[in-house]
Amino acid sequence: MREVCDLVVVGAGPGGLAAACRAAEAGLDVLVLDAQPEPGGQVWRGEARQGSNRLARRWLTRFSASGARFRPGARVIAAPEPGVLLVEEGPSSFAVRYGRAVLATGARERFLPFPGWTLPGVLGVSGLQVLVKDGLPIRGKRVVLAGTGPLLLAAAATIHSHGGEVLYIAEQASAASHWGFALQLWRQPAKLLQGALMSAKLVSVPTSTDAWVTAAEGERRLEAVRLSVRGREEHLHCDYLGAAYGLVPNLEVARLLSCETSAGAVVVDDRLETRVPKVHAVGELLGIGGVDQALVTGELAGLVAAEQPVPLELERSWHRVRTFAAQLARHDAPRAELLRLATPDTLLCRCEDVPMSALEGCQNLREARLYARLGMGACQGRTCGTAAQTLFGWTGEDVRPPCLPARIGSLRIPSDVSSTPTRES
Amino acid sequence: MREPAPKKASVVTLRINGREVTVPVGTSVAAALAMTDSFVSRADLSGRPRGPLCGMGVCFECRATIDGVPEVLMCLTPCREDQTVVTDA
Amino acid sequence: MSAFDCVIVGGGIVGAALADVLSAEGVSVALVEARSIGTGTTACGMGHLVAMDDNAAELALTAWSVALWRELADGLPRTVEYDACGTLWLAADDEEMAAVSAKVANYRAAGVRAEVLDSAALYEAEPALAPGLVGALRVPEDAVLYPPVAARTFALRAQARGARLMTGCQVRELRPGGVMLANGELLTARHVVLAAGVASPLLCPGLPISPRKGHLLITRRGAPVVHHQLVELGYLKSAHGTDGASVAFNAQPRVTGQLLLGSSRQPGDGTREVDAKLLERMLKRAALFLPGLDGLQALRVWTGLRPATPDGLPLLGPHPEKPWLWLACGHEGLGITTATGSARLVADQLLGRASVIDARPYSPARFLSASGHEVAHA
């Protein structure tokens, strides 16, 4: 089975949707792939069903009218030759032959290991938020959130509005850094409004800067957490803990396509084209910048892909969102204490159960992988690799196909897709 | 045999590890797992319980066999009528 | 005064095994590795310890080496994952089955246990195999292990005996009396051993070693159970004797419950990219032997560069023109298997004593004349 399109967009979050809309409206045949069942990405998760976010509603409506085709539940697993992607979709798979590509694979949370972080009931901050949006019963449940930046407040607001009891919000950043960052939000009217709305609902929730989770406790699941709050310890009984430290871009598909990356972001030119011709990158792949950056860069890339003129206003907007992204990165950088929470028997790799102690003597990621099996399991190091980079400064290895675990049969290239004849023995 | 679900039902009923769970349409399987009293999606290599972590298809903690297809991520799968979910927990 | 009796260049499994053997003999050793121990070609192989009988010299070295591994096995940590699972050479037709008898005789003559399985015995041993195979040759004392940890174990044992381990350390030049490091430091030694695999010709131009690329795929845990390393006898036809790319069925059970699948060969290909079409051919071949393979979850695919010589045998012994330089390279796909025997052969020659097997078939002099020029291979 195969798909042919002028433009393939990988990821249906705000960046992918904006690119797809612009390109499809200009007449391109656009195919959008996303692993989730609905468009919207993580930030607009659930909005396609029960939209309350007006911006999301506007873009999702525009997307469905744009003529772009959407394939949900579709995961890119390989790029066997330039212009071809292999995609797994439920129990089947297909190939996509494309003219151009826009990568809009978004970001994931940065997890850092601490004692008890493998207990059921311990999730990411946004991880818990999306599960609540997806129907996790939270009414009357006691929740502690620990992390950094605007995501903490966004998660708290979602949990609060679904009837959950947020016991504590622990912001790891120092007071000075946090309030400095908050003041900068005055220059970002849209974000300020979001922040104010969130805060208004959450005035009664104890919140502290210079605060983080030191341990999660429980037998078969989470029962309590220990927090360090400005130097003193808090012990709170709770049902759920959301703990993660900002976002990191999902670079796997970009690196699978051999796009150059630098300092944890995809390198692009002013047309948002990567070093690989006809492959563009948008949104969080350019460095964590949130919805505004995703929309602006998505629109830009969509216009470029369709060879349309780019309005000057859009170019200016891009430079504005870059400033916000840089401030966010400084604010969200995990403080040193967070890097020392894990004990020797705390697992770093959750797939292969590799404890910190197993890394003794390892000098780099390749040694840790080959000697101790770090990152050799099902998630392919997505969770522990990011943690190891933060803890030890170890950088990643090449991304090879499949860039997600996939059925062996899905690695087959349909014969009608290949541009060069296969040699069969 | 259950009665066929009425058209445009606002809820669906699925089975998670043999247990019937009725959830609003749009609920993900990972979210529905929390309605089974056990938020455990798998056992680690030493048999200790694990639950969903990332909610976004990254961490692979919430893999399960869904309608016979192994290694499906519960957080990316919407609940459907008569769905059968089996975890290795 | 030399700082070391011997500096070994290359910390793959061969160099590490040699450091282990020499340090145990009281030789002062430095092991110099450009990256990390056991993380190059060593980490890209299957870790199949296999007696091979393409020719008498190959059989002598592999059989001895497999036996040496068996002696070592009890002293290796669990993380080396040594598993004496044996090899099953699968016969797809009567022609291949006929070859089994000849192989049995070869193996037995070399002291290697081998037995013929008829079809019924084969399917009793490996019920997961596709129907239609006519039988197999079972070599019960072959084994598998996890090569990078095996190499690291050797290196750490040598280090514990006083050997100097230098990782992340690039060598610029080999010279009489030692090696010059990329950082300008001179490491002095009476003997220099080149065990740098595919990188060896960069440090010793003229060595007849070229890369031969191979692909492997590993599944997630929970793959269907096979009990032996499974190799098609057609491997001998498909993987050898042609100059073009070839594939053959080769499957290995890992102690983790994963299935490791091979194999492919691309002579002269020095790139590391996965070749999607060749991978597909390899997997299609494998699916003929293991039905249901397409439904298994692939976790990772990778490639490795085997250091191939024209006659398929390694270069073990003195460089004919440079009496201070010893070669321990060119093992192609048998570096893991023959690391133990190769280390002993080179150590014996270095220490001026006789070996258990005849060292002459592996002598670098078969390719390199005393004038330093490559000689035509008969």
Side-chain angles (χ1 to χ4, degrees):
Chain A
M1 204 165 126
R2 68 162 181 169
E3 286 268 11
V4 179
C5 59
D6 299 325
L7 174 69
V8 65
V9 177
V10 184
L17 293 179
C21 288
R22 283 293 198 171
E25 287 162 4
L28 292 197
D29 178 16
V30 179
L31 176 67
V32 182
L33 308 171
D34 196 285
Q36 290 195 79
E38 295 163 337
Q42 299 308 330
V43 65
W44 290 343
R45 186 136 156 181
E47 295 292 339
R49 264 176 288 123
Q50 44 195 24
S52 57
N53 179 325
R54 277 168 47 213
L55 188 62
R57 171 62 47 205
R58 200 163 79 226
W59 277 102
L60 287 164
T61 306
R62 184 172 171 182
F63 177 60
S64 37
S66 69
R69 289 174 292 141
F70 179 54
R71 293 197 70 157
R75 315 187 306 161
V76 172
I77 56 167
E81 57 183 271
V84 178
L85 296 176
L86 295 185
V87 181
E88 191 165 81
E89 185 186 62
S92 61
S93 62
F94 61 94
V96 177
R97 174 164 283 287
Y98 61 88
R100 278 184 186 271
V102 170
L103 307 181
T105 47
R108 59 174 171 263
E109 291 189 273
R110 183 205 313 268
F111 293 99
L112 295 174
F114 56 88
W117 79 300
T118 52
L119 280 170
V122 179
L123 295 92
V125 172
S126 298
L128 180 56
Q129 182 188 18
V130 297
L131 256 70
V132 169
K133 284 185 180 178
D134 281 357
L136 180 120
I138 200 74
R139 184 163 299 280
K141 302 288 186 193
R142 300 158 301 170
V143 178
V144 173
L145 296 173
T148 197
L151 295 175
L152 267 180
L153 295 177
T158 299
I159 290 161
H160 184 81
S161 71
H162 284 76
E165 186 190 351
V166 182
L167 298 184
Y168 207 97
I169 300 175
E171 162 64 61
Q172 60 95 33
S174 70
S177 158
H178 185 63
W179 294 116
F181 173 72
L183 288 175
Q184 294 298 322
L185 292 182
W186 286 104
R187 299 186 190 155
Q188 303 280 336
K191 291 198 175 62
L192 176 68
L193 195 61
Q194 286 167 19
L197 282 172
M198 288 174 194
S199 316
K201 288 184 198 158
L202 298 166
V203 279
S204 59
V205 176
T207 305
S208 179
T209 53
D210 296 288
W212 57 91
V213 61
T214 56
E217 299 170 345
E219 279 302 312
R220 295 283 299 170
R221 64 158 296 156
L222 176 72
E223 292 164 17
V225 300
R226 290 189 185 278
L227 298 174
S228 171
V229 178
R230 300 184 173 232
R232 64 169 206 284
E233 184 170 278
E234 295 261 358
H235 189 246
L236 293 174
H237 289 273
C238 61
D239 302 298
Y240 290 102
L241 166 65
Y245 297 92
L247 299 174
V248 292
N250 290 319
L251 296 174
E252 285 75 14
V253 174
R255 293 178 58 202
L256 178 75
L257 269 59
S258 305
C259 298
E260 186 184 332
T261 61
S262 169
V266 179
V267 177
V268 293
D269 63 16
D270 55 6
R271 292 158 45 90
L272 298 173
E273 195 162 4
T274 67
R275 294 281 187 261
V276 178
K278 301 191 174 182
V279 176
H280 302 261
V282 303
E284 310 286 42
L285 294 181
L286 309 176
I288 301 304
V291 174
D292 293 355
Q293 173 179 275
L295 289 171
V296 169
T297 54
E299 284 196 74
L300 263 168
L303 290 169
V304 168
E307 293 172 0
Q308 297 289 303
V310 174
L312 202 60
E313 179 50 33
L314 209 51
E315 299 242 30
R316 289 210 189 98
S317 303
W318 184 28
H319 294 293
R320 259 203 317 279
V321 296
R322 290 307 305 156
T323 313
F324 173 72
Q327 289 161 355
L328 190 67
R330 278 195 297 276
H331 175 273
D332 284 2
R335 58 192 299 142
E337 291 92 333
L338 297 174
L339 312 183
R340 299 193 287 265
L341 295 174
T343 59
D345 58 356
T346 304
L347 299 186
L348 177 55
C349 172
R350 300 171 61 113
C351 296
E352 290 292 317
D353 292 6
V354 180
M356 295 290 284
S357 58
L359 303 180
E360 197 184 324
C362 294
Q363 304 290 318
N364 53 51
L365 187 60
R366 187 156 173 83
E367 290 188 3
R369 284 168 60 86
L370 292 171
Y371 302 161
R373 302 188 64 83
L374 185 84
M376 297 295 249
C379 90
Q380 298 183 332
R382 282 171 169 75
T383 306
C384 67
T386 303
Q389 181 160 10
T390 308
L391 296 180
F392 312 121
W394 293 345
T395 48
E397 300 217 296
D398 291 348
V399 172
R400 292 173 301 232
C403 67
L404 282 169
R407 282 182 306 281
I408 286 175
S410 301
L411 293 171
R412 292 275 170 84
I413 313 161
S415 53
D416 55 349
V417 162
S418 187
S419 57
T420 49
T422 50
R423 268 185 309 175
E424 286 306 329
S425 51
Chain B
M1 288 288 283
R2 214 196 345 271
E3 294 296 312
K7 262 193 170 173
K8 291 227 165 183
S10 58
V11 295
V12 294
T13 299
L14 65 157
R15 272 181 310 282
I16 302 180
N17 293 328
R19 179 169 166 178
E20 284 205 353
V21 183
T22 300
V23 299
V25 167
T27 304
S28 74
V29 176
L33 180 69
M35 300 175 195
T36 64
D37 297 334
S38 155
F39 197 47
V40 178
S41 53
R42 72 180 187 98
D44 73 13
L45 299 175
S46 315
R48 292 165 297 199
R50 295 286 183 82
L53 174 73
C54 77
M56 313 175 181
V58 173
C59 73
F60 282 70
E61 289 283 9
C62 69
R63 57 211 195 219
T65 299
I66 300 183
D67 290 337
V69 181
E71 310 290 358
V72 178
L73 299 183
M74 291 190 255
C75 69
L76 297 179
T77 309
C79 292
R80 300 199 197 287
E81 188 66 26
D82 277 339
Q83 200 170 34
T84 302
V85 178
V86 180
T87 72
D88 74 351
Chain C
M1 244 330 254
S2 293
F4 299 98
D5 296 329
C6 178
V7 55
I8 302 167
V9 178
I13 193 138
V14 173
L18 181 59
D20 182 41
V21 169
L22 287 176
S23 64
E25 298 282 350
V27 176
S28 77
V29 172
L31 180 59
V32 186
E33 162 56 43
R35 289 174 298 175
S36 299
I37 298 295
T39 63
T41 295
T42 294
C44 300
M46 286 186 114
H48 182 202
L49 310 179
V50 54
M52 293 281 287
D53 69 334
D54 290 342
N55 55 63
E58 184 185 57
L59 182 56
L61 181 59
T62 54
W64 182 44
S65 296
V66 170
L68 287 171
W69 274 113
R70 198 161 54 243
E71 288 169 22
L72 286 170
D74 285 344
L76 297 173
R78 185 188 49 81
T79 47
V80 173
E81 298 178 5
Y82 178 91
D83 178 14
C85 61
T87 304
L88 279 185
W89 295 90
L90 306 173
D93 55 33
D94 292 338
E95 186 193 349
E96 288 177 7
M97 200 60 190
V100 163
S101 321
K103 286 174 78 72
V104 167
N106 279 345
Y107 281 128
R108 288 183 180 161
V112 177
R113 279 176 55 200
E115 61 204 45
V116 180
L117 303 190
D118 63 14
S119 182
L122 171 60
Y123 287 106
E124 192 179 327
E126 297 288 356
L129 281 170
L133 295 168
V134 300
L137 171 68
R138 182 163 178 262
V139 184
E141 287 171 349
D142 283 356
V144 303
L145 52 65
Y146 182 53
V149 174
R152 189 191 193 205
T153 300
F154 286 145
L156 292 179
R157 285 204 320 206
Q159 187 180 39
R161 296 185 197 109
R164 183 163 170 206
L165 222 59
M166 303 173 71
T167 57
C169 191
Q170 200 95 33
V171 169
R172 186 191 298 165
E173 190 194 343
L174 314 179
R175 51 169 72 174
V179 304
M180 175 70 86
L181 303 180
N183 65 10
E185 191 189 334
L186 185 65
L187 215 55
T188 58
R190 270 182 64 209
H191 304 288
V192 175
V193 180
L194 181 58
V198 284
S200 299
L202 299 175
L203 289 166
C204 183
L207 288 186
I209 294 175
S210 62
R212 189 172 282 188
K213 179 164 149 183
H215 289 71
L216 290 178
L217 178 151
I218 196 161
T219 69
R220 286 171 71 172
R221 291 171 182 263
V225 178
V226 302
H227 306 281
H228 298 77
Q229 174 102 22
L230 303 175
V231 191
E232 61 167 309
L233 268 169
Y235 182 81
L236 306 173
K237 289 182 280 191
S238 60
H240 295 272
T242 65
D243 285 318
S246 61
V247 298
F249 170 63
N250 198 330
Q252 178 182 103
R254 301 297 314 173
V255 295
T256 52
Q258 294 171 284
L259 197 60
L260 181 54
L261 291 170
S263 59
S264 73
R265 287 174 186 228
Q266 285 163 286
D269 191 336
T271 67
R272 296 295 304 275
E273 282 76 30
V274 170
D275 180 331
K277 292 200 184 71
L278 194 67
L279 175 69
E280 185 176 27
R281 271 177 67 195
M282 181 181 106
L283 295 173
K284 203 178 265 183
R285 186 86 198 155
L288 294 178
F289 289 84
L290 285 177
L293 193 74
D294 277 0
L296 293 188
Q297 292 269 323
L299 181 56
R300 276 189 306 282
V301 173
W302 67 93
T303 64
L305 302 178
R306 308 175 182 99
T309 62
D311 63 0
L313 294 175
L315 306 173
L316 303 172
H319 190 287
E321 201 189 32
K322 301 168 180 168
W324 48 273
L325 178 62
W326 302 75
L327 301 178
C329 47
H331 289 76
E332 205 193 329
L334 288 169
I336 310 298
T337 295
T338 65
T340 47
S342 298
R344 289 282 288 271
L345 275 181
V346 173
D348 286 341
Q349 293 180 71
L350 228 145
L351 297 168
R353 62 191 188 191
S355 281
V356 171
I357 66 168
D358 183 358
R360 282 171 299 181
Y362 324 103
S363 165
R366 71 189 191 277
F367 295 117
L368 304 165
S369 72
S371 64
H373 297 302
E374 200 172 322
V375 295
H377 178 58

